[in-house]
Amino acid sequence: MNVIASTAVAHPIQFPNPLWAEQFPEDWWSALVTGMRELSRAIPDLAQRAATLGFAAQVCGVVAVDAAGVPLRPCLTWLDKRAGDLIRAKMAGFPSVAGFGALKLLRSVQLTNGAPSLNGMDPTAKMMWLRQHEPDVWARTAKILDVKDWILHRCTGAFVTTADSANLTWMADTRSGAPVWSDELTRRYGVPREMLPEILPGDAIAGGLTQQAADDLGLPAGLPVIGGCGDICAAALGSGATEDGALHISLGTSAWIAGFFDSRRINALASFATIASPVNNKPLLIATQECAGACLDWYSRIGGADAPSTSVEHDPPLFLPWLAGERVPVDDNRLAGAFLGLKLVHDRGSLARGVREGIALNLRWAMEPVQKQRGVRRGVTIPIVGGATQDDALAQDIANCLQMDLCRLPEPALAGLRGVAALGGVSLGWYPSALGAVSQVLAASGKVFRADPERAAYFDKRFDQFKRAHKRLAPWYHSLAKDI
C-alpha cells in the first residue's frame, strides 16, 4: 500500500469562550475542495484512476443540521468542554464511583462498555448543552452528525455514521458487537432517536458521489463513498499494530494509546475502555489525552523557541500539559496547564525541554493502567504515528520516560490515510480484511528510539513529582473553576 501523493490544507478553529472550541463545517469542505484540486495537479488522471472515496476525521464532534443537511451552527468539536458541569450533574448519584452514580454507571457499562466522559467532551454532553442553551437550534435540528458523517452527507446526501462514532455517543448498545441505538439511553439523555443517523460498517458504501459534490471535488459522479472511520481507528490500522493486544501511540494535536483486543475491556477508574470499531466491530481500546502536539504549538505560538538550553545542568521546570483539561487517566476538564519550579536560571530552551518532558510524563500516566490490561503485548517495540512524532527529541523523551522502545513509521502523519485506504480496499474486494491489508506496515523500515536505561531513574523521579503535582493542584483547580 503506497502513498502516491498527499497534501495538507489548514482550516481554522475558534475559541469564542473559555472551554469552547468550534469549527465551521463549510471550512472543512473548502479545505477538502482545495486539497483535491492540489492532488489533481499532482495526479493529472486522478478522476479516471479513483476507485472509491473514504474519510477519516476527528471524532466526538456535534454538527446539528436541518433536513437538507445544512449546519445550523458551528460544530462543537472534541476539544469543546463547555458541557462538563451538565454531564457531571446528569451522571451523579449515590453511591458515587469515580464521580458517577454507581447504578447509572453500571447500566451504561452494561449496554455500551463505558459512559460519557465527565469532562464534557463526548457528544452526549454537547447535545444536552444544545437542547438547554440553544432551544431554537435544537427545535430545527433534523440530524446530529459527527465530523466525518457531515462530510459523508455532503458527498452522498446520506445521513450515516460508523460504529466508532456511534459508540462514542454512549447511546448505542454494543453488547452484541454491532452497535444499535438504545431507546433507554436516548431517553436518558433526551435525544430523539430520529435525530441519530444510520450505523454502517466502515467498509460499507454510504452512497455515490452526488453531481454537485463531484463537480466540487473534480471526481466522477457516482463514485462509491465508503463509511470510513474516525482518526483513532484509522491510525490503529495504519500503524500496523493490529494483532490482539498490540498497542500504538499517536502524537498529533492530542495523544492516545490504542490497540485492538479480542473482547471488550474497561477501566472506569482510569477513564478508558474499548469501543466497537468500524472494522467488523472489533473492540478497539482507546486511552486519549487532550494535548500533545498542541502543547508544542502553543509554546511556539507564544514566542517559545527550541533553542539549546544554557542550563542543561539544571532540571527543566515541570510542565503540566493539561491546556485543555484531561481525560485519561483522570477525567477532568477543570485541570489546567502550568510550569512548576521556574527559576532565574531557566531559559527558553529549558522551557521547551520541560514541555517535551511534560508530554512524555503525561503519556506514562496513561500507559500505567493500560499496561495492566489483560492481553496487552509487553516487551515489544511500539509504533508511533502522528505529526508530532517527527520531533526526534520528543520521541526520545517518550521512549526514555516509558522505558519502551518506539518505532516511528515512515510518513507517520499519514497513518490514518493508510488505515482508511485499507477499508476502501476491502470495499473494492482487493483485500479480504482491513487488518490483513496493513499487515506489512510494521515491516517497513522506520526510525527506532531505544529507551536509555541511564535515564530511567531521572524520569522515575520526575514522574513521582508529576503525580504529586496533580494530587496537590487538582483541588485548587476545582475551586478556581467555581470562581470563573
Side-chain angles (χ1 to χ4, degrees), residues 113-150:
N113 197 47
S117 167
L118 297 181
N119 69 12
M121 75 164 287
D122 286 339
T124 315
K126 295 164 187 166
M127 295 177 199
M128 292 170 55
W129 188 93
L130 283 177
R131 188 179 69 246
Q132 179 169 323
H133 292 277
E134 296 185 359
D136 56 330
V137 171
W138 188 257
R140 292 183 290 134
T141 298
K143 294 290 182 184
I144 300 174
L145 305 175
D146 204 344
V147 175
K148 165 183 57 62
D149 308 339
W150 182 81

Side-chain angles (χ1 to χ4, degrees), residues 267 307 353 381 411 436:
N267 184 331
R353 180 181 157 204
T381 299
E411 299 178 299

Side-chain angles (χ1 to χ4, degrees), residues 342-361:
L342 277 171
K343 300 177 181 178
L344 288 173
V345 71
H346 290 137
D347 56 19
R348 288 186 299 177
S350 55
L351 264 64
R353 180 181 157 204
V355 171
R356 290 194 303 269
E357 289 187 2
I359 295 168
L361 292 165

Side-chain angles (χ1 to χ4, degrees), residues 5 15 52 56 87 101 104 112 127 137 153 169 247 256 261 281 301 308 338 368 375 379 386 400 417 422 425 459 469:
F15 302 98
T52 189
I87 198 65
K104 293 177 182 177
T112 72
M127 295 177 199
V137 171
H153 174 79
T169 67
L247 301 175
W256 62 72
F261 282 77
N281 303 307
R301 190 171 66 249
E368 276 199 335
N400 292 340
L417 185 153
F459 276 106

Side-chain angles (χ1 to χ4, degrees), residues 285-318:
L285 184 145
I286 303 174
T288 306
Q289 296 187 316
E290 304 297 70
C291 285
C295 296
L296 300 173
D297 290 342
W298 163 80
Y299 183 63
S300 175
R301 190 171 66 249
I302 64 170
D306 196 3
S309 175
T310 59
S311 57
V312 291
E313 68 275 16
H314 300 277
D315 291 348
L318 184 68

Side-chain angles (χ1 to χ4, degrees), residues 105-389:
L105 178 62
L106 177 62
R107 186 56 175 158
S108 186
V109 169
Q110 286 176 337
L111 296 175
T112 72
N113 197 47
S117 167
L118 297 181
N119 69 12
M121 75 164 287
D122 286 339
T124 315
K126 295 164 187 166
M127 295 177 199
M128 292 170 55
W129 188 93
L130 283 177
R131 188 179 69 246
Q132 179 169 323
H133 292 277
E134 296 185 359
D136 56 330
V137 171
W138 188 257
R140 292 183 290 134
T141 298
K143 294 290 182 184
I144 300 174
L145 305 175
D146 204 344
V147 175
K148 165 183 57 62
D149 308 339
W150 182 81
I151 297 172
L152 287 174
H153 174 79
R154 186 67 181 263
C155 285
T156 68
F159 290 117
V160 297
T161 190
T162 50
D164 49 351
S165 288
N167 202 158
L168 286 168
T169 67
W170 308 110
M171 293 188 290
D173 187 338
T174 64
R175 287 175 294 178
S176 66
V180 293
W181 296 117
S182 165
D183 290 337
E184 176 184 340
L185 293 177
T186 55
R187 284 194 301 268
R188 172 187 285 186
Y189 302 114
V191 180
R193 167 66 185 83
E194 59 270 19
M195 281 190 181
L196 302 173
E198 178 186 359
I199 304 171
L200 292 181
D203 57 10
I205 295 175
L209 205 59
T210 67
Q211 187 63 60
Q212 180 61 60
D215 291 343
D216 287 349
L217 300 177
L219 295 171
L223 181 72
V225 182
I226 62 168
C229 58
D231 52 0
I232 300 178
C233 181
L237 283 170
S239 74
T242 57
E243 295 184 358
D244 290 344
L247 301 175
H248 79 274
I249 295 173
S250 176
L251 297 170
T253 300
S254 62
W256 62 72
I257 303 164
F260 292 103
F261 282 77
D262 59 353
S263 60
R264 301 201 305 185
R265 302 282 193 279
I266 185 169
N267 184 331
L269 295 179
S271 304
F272 67 81
T274 56
I275 64 167
S277 76
V279 184
N280 302 323
N281 303 307
K282 189 171 181 63
L284 176 64
L285 184 145
I286 303 174
T288 306
Q289 296 187 316
E290 304 297 70
C291 285
C295 296
L296 300 173
D297 290 342
W298 163 80
Y299 183 63
S300 175
R301 190 171 66 249
I302 64 170
D306 196 3
S309 175
T310 59
S311 57
V312 291
E313 68 275 16
H314 300 277
D315 291 348
L318 184 68
F319 177 67
L320 307 180
W322 309 319
L323 301 183
E326 195 47 275
R327 177 155 186 157
V328 173
V330 171
D331 184 8
D332 194 346
N333 68 309
R334 295 162 293 184
L335 296 180
F339 281 109
L340 303 181
L342 277 171
K343 300 177 181 178
L344 288 173
V345 71
H346 290 137
D347 56 19
R348 288 186 299 177
S350 55
L351 264 64
R353 180 181 157 204
V355 171
R356 290 194 303 269
E357 289 187 2
I359 295 168
L361 292 165
N362 210 41
L363 273 170
R364 177 167 169 173
W365 203 28
M367 183 63 83
E368 276 199 335
V370 169
Q371 280 287 101
K372 295 175 182 177
Q373 286 295 304
R374 174 174 52 86
V376 167
R377 293 176 181 266
R378 299 176 177 85
V380 297
T381 299
I382 296 180
I384 54 173
V385 299
T389 65

